[in-house]
Amino acid sequence: MIPVCHNLRRYANKEFKGLATDGKGTMGWCHGFKLHFVWNGLEEIITFVLTGANVNDRDMRVWDVLAKRIYGRLFGDKGYISAKLFDFLF
């Protein structure tokens, strides 16, 4: 999560009006963006996607962008990858 401003000031924020959204992550509610990225074994970033904070991590639109540059093996939690996402990545 990349917060834009404090949650109490989200309605007065003018810099990212119309772009930043409200979303809930592991640290609580946030008004801002999410950064999704894929890195390799050498800790080099392969690709990334910047979305609104309300976009689900398993959204197919996010994985359409991320999967274009993935090669080799992909590791993830069993609960994270749905059957539809598994079929898409396979």
Side-chain angles (χ1 to χ4, degrees), residues 18-30:
L19 295 174
T21 57
D22 295 332
K24 185 169 184 184
T26 57
M27 301 299 290
W29 287 94
C30 172

Side-chain angles (χ1 to χ4, degrees), residues 58 74-86 89:
R58 296 170 288 190
L74 176 67
F75 296 94
D77 295 332
K78 184 177 180 182
Y80 182 78
I81 298 177
S82 63
K84 184 178 177 182
L85 182 58
F86 175 79
L89 294 173

Side-chain angles (χ1 to χ4, degrees), residues 13-71:
N13 184 8
K14 296 179 184 175
E15 286 83 14
F16 294 103
K17 188 173 186 173
L19 295 174
T21 57
D22 295 332
K24 185 169 184 184
T26 57
M27 301 299 290
W29 287 94
C30 172
H31 180 74
F33 302 99
K34 273 188 184 176
L35 179 63
H36 311 268
F37 60 92
V38 175
W39 67 89
N40 62 10
L42 301 174
E43 300 177 2
E44 300 169 334
I45 295 176
I46 296 173
T47 185
F48 68 93
V49 178
L50 186 67
T51 63
N54 63 346
V55 175
N56 191 348
D57 296 336
R58 296 170 288 190
D59 192 343
M60 293 303 290
R61 293 174 293 178
V62 173
W63 282 99
D64 280 339
V65 176
L66 292 178
K68 288 180 183 177
R69 303 284 308 258
I70 293 177
Y71 55 91

